Structure formats: structure tokens, C-alpha cells
Amino acid sequence: MKKIGIILAASILVFSLTACGKGGEKTSEPINNVSIEDKNEPVKTQQKQNDTKKDGGSVELPITTNFPMFRLYIDGPNYHYIQNGATNLFNVGGIRFIALTSAKNVEADKPSEILDAYFKDFKTGVSVNCRGYKPEKFNIKESKEIEINGINFWRFEGELIAKTPSLETSFYTVGYTFIWDGHPFQITGVVVSEGQEKEHIDEITRYVDEMVKTIRDKR
């Protein structure tokens, strides 16, 4: 009887161990699936974000500054920043710049008048960044009135005519003028490279068009 009991006990023990082994194989499978999915998903998301930037769908504006003499704020690109009286610059020397112009002693009845009202201040502020040329006038080829975030802008596109004593040239120009709390403001992007490369023109246009969307009276 004792022998029969020992054989039965051994059989039960073997059966229990086999069952446990099968259960262990089943639980390991879903853990591996979750781990793979978790590892892959962020890679796809990151790839999507990189594609968006590559296509030019978004721009980075990491620098926050104010228009000269006013607490009116705007975000700008990671260019060298220069403060110069009534005109401050986001500047890439000898290639392109974006100028912010404003002064408390200047008046304009409507945005389309601001380019003329501010030309002296603009010229003084940007002349050293125009490769030895002195700005003479704007030649506006396209313009339109546009409202962004409740602000009425005059968007202009064309060229900045500039001269030396013996030469004359033109630089691609795009910008906006607007009136805030009774005061005129101007943002002007200019490509001053000799070749007027399309990639620089596209970059300046994209930056200027995005920058005006960030204008606000609080930092």
C-alpha cells in the first residue's frame, strides 16, 4: 500500500510541474509584444515631427524681444540680435536680416504710410548690414491688407534699392506695418546676399510671416 501511495504522489507532483511549465510559456508572450510596441511607437512619432520641420511646415522662434521704445513683444529666429536706436535687428551678417522699427515721435494715419514715415530710422539702423550699400528707397511690387490675431497689417513685398557712389543694387524685401495703440510699427525682412538665393528668400519670408503671429503686449 505504501508503494502505491508513493507512486500516486509522484505522479501528482509530475503533473503539477508540467502544468506550471505550460502556464509560464503563456505569460511570457504578451510581455514581449508590449515591449516591442512601446519601443517602436515613439520612433514613428519622432519621424513624423522631423518630416514636418523638413517640409518647412513650422519654424523655430526661440528669442523673445520687444519693439524699440515700446513694451510690445515679438518672437524671432536664432539670429544675432542687435539693438540700434529705433531699429533692432535679427541679423546674419552679409546674408539676411529682419528689422524691427518703432519710435515714439513718429506718426502715421494708416499702415501703408509707415514705410515712408520710418525710412530714415530704418536706413540708419540697417546701413551697416547692407554690404557697403546705402538704402535709398523701397520698390514695393505687391501689397495687401490682412488681419492676424485681431491686428490689421499692411503686408508688402518687393525690393530695397541701395547704392554705393558707383553702383546700384536691389535686395529682396518682405514685411509688415501696423498701428498699435496709436503708434506705428514696422517689421522688415531683407536678403542682402549678392546671389539673392531662393533658399534665403524663402527662409526670410517664412520667418517674417510667422513672427507677426506672435506680436503681443505681454512677454
Side-chain angles (χ1 to χ4, degrees):
M1 289 293 292
K2 286 183 179 180
K3 287 183 179 179
I4 294 171
I6 290 170
I7 292 169
L8 286 172
S11 299
I12 291 169
L13 181 60
V14 170
F15 179 78
S16 299
L17 290 173
T18 305
C20 289
K22 287 180 181 177
E25 289 171 6
K26 286 181 181 178
T27 53
S28 65
E29 195 171 332
I31 290 172
N32 289 336
N33 286 340
V34 171
S35 177
I36 291 170
E37 288 175 4
D38 286 347
K39 194 180 290 185
N40 287 341
E41 189 59 35
V43 174
K44 291 177 183 175
T45 304
Q46 187 66 45
Q47 185 64 47
K48 219 171 189 179
Q49 291 172 349
N50 289 342
D51 288 344
T52 301
K53 288 184 179 180
K54 195 184 294 182
D55 294 341
S58 63
V59 298
E60 293 184 4
L61 302 173
I63 298 176
T64 297
T65 187
N66 60 291
F67 282 84
M69 306 181 199
F70 292 90
R71 291 184 178 178
L72 186 63
Y73 300 96
I74 188 170
D75 297 335
N78 193 25
Y79 290 177
H80 179 56
Y81 189 66
I82 303 169
Q83 293 180 299
N84 192 3
T87 295
N88 295 344
L89 298 172
F90 293 91
N91 177 58
V92 178
I95 301 175
R96 55 203 182 278
F97 62 78
I98 299 171
L100 308 176
T101 306
S102 56
K104 291 192 174 181
N105 60 343
V106 176
E107 297 181 356
D109 292 328
K110 51 187 179 180
S112 58
E113 297 176 355
I114 295 173
L115 279 184
D116 287 337
Y118 271 142
F119 192 78
K120 184 178 179 181
D121 291 309
F122 173 82
K123 178 179 180 178
T124 301
V126 307
S127 285
V128 295
N129 298 283
C130 291
R131 296 177 34 244
Y133 290 86
K134 298 296 181 185
E136 291 290 319
K137 63 180 180 178
F138 287 111
N139 178 23
I140 305 304
K141 297 181 178 180
E142 295 181 17
S143 65
K144 64 179 178 180
E145 294 181 357
I146 182 172
E147 182 179 323
I148 302 172
N149 296 333
I151 306 172
N152 293 317
F153 292 95
W154 186 67
R155 186 187 188 279
F156 59 91
E157 191 169 2
E159 55 191 8
L160 175 64
I161 307 300
K163 294 181 179 180
T164 68
S166 58
L167 297 171
E168 179 177 308
T169 191
S170 61
F171 302 130
Y172 172 79
T173 302
V174 61
Y176 291 78
T177 58
F178 65 101
I179 295 173
W180 180 289
D181 198 22
H183 299 285
F185 295 87
Q186 179 177 324
I187 172 172
T188 316
V190 182
V191 176
V192 294
S193 63
E194 186 175 354
Q196 293 290 284
E197 294 83 357
K198 185 178 184 302
E199 63 186 281
H200 295 155
I201 289 173
D202 290 345
E203 180 187 295
I204 282 292
T205 302
R206 191 163 65 248
Y207 273 137
V208 170
D209 284 341
E210 291 300 318
M211 286 174 69
V212 296
K213 300 175 185 177
T214 72
I215 294 170
R216 59 200 184 275
D217 59 1
K218 294 181 181 178
R219 186 180 285 274

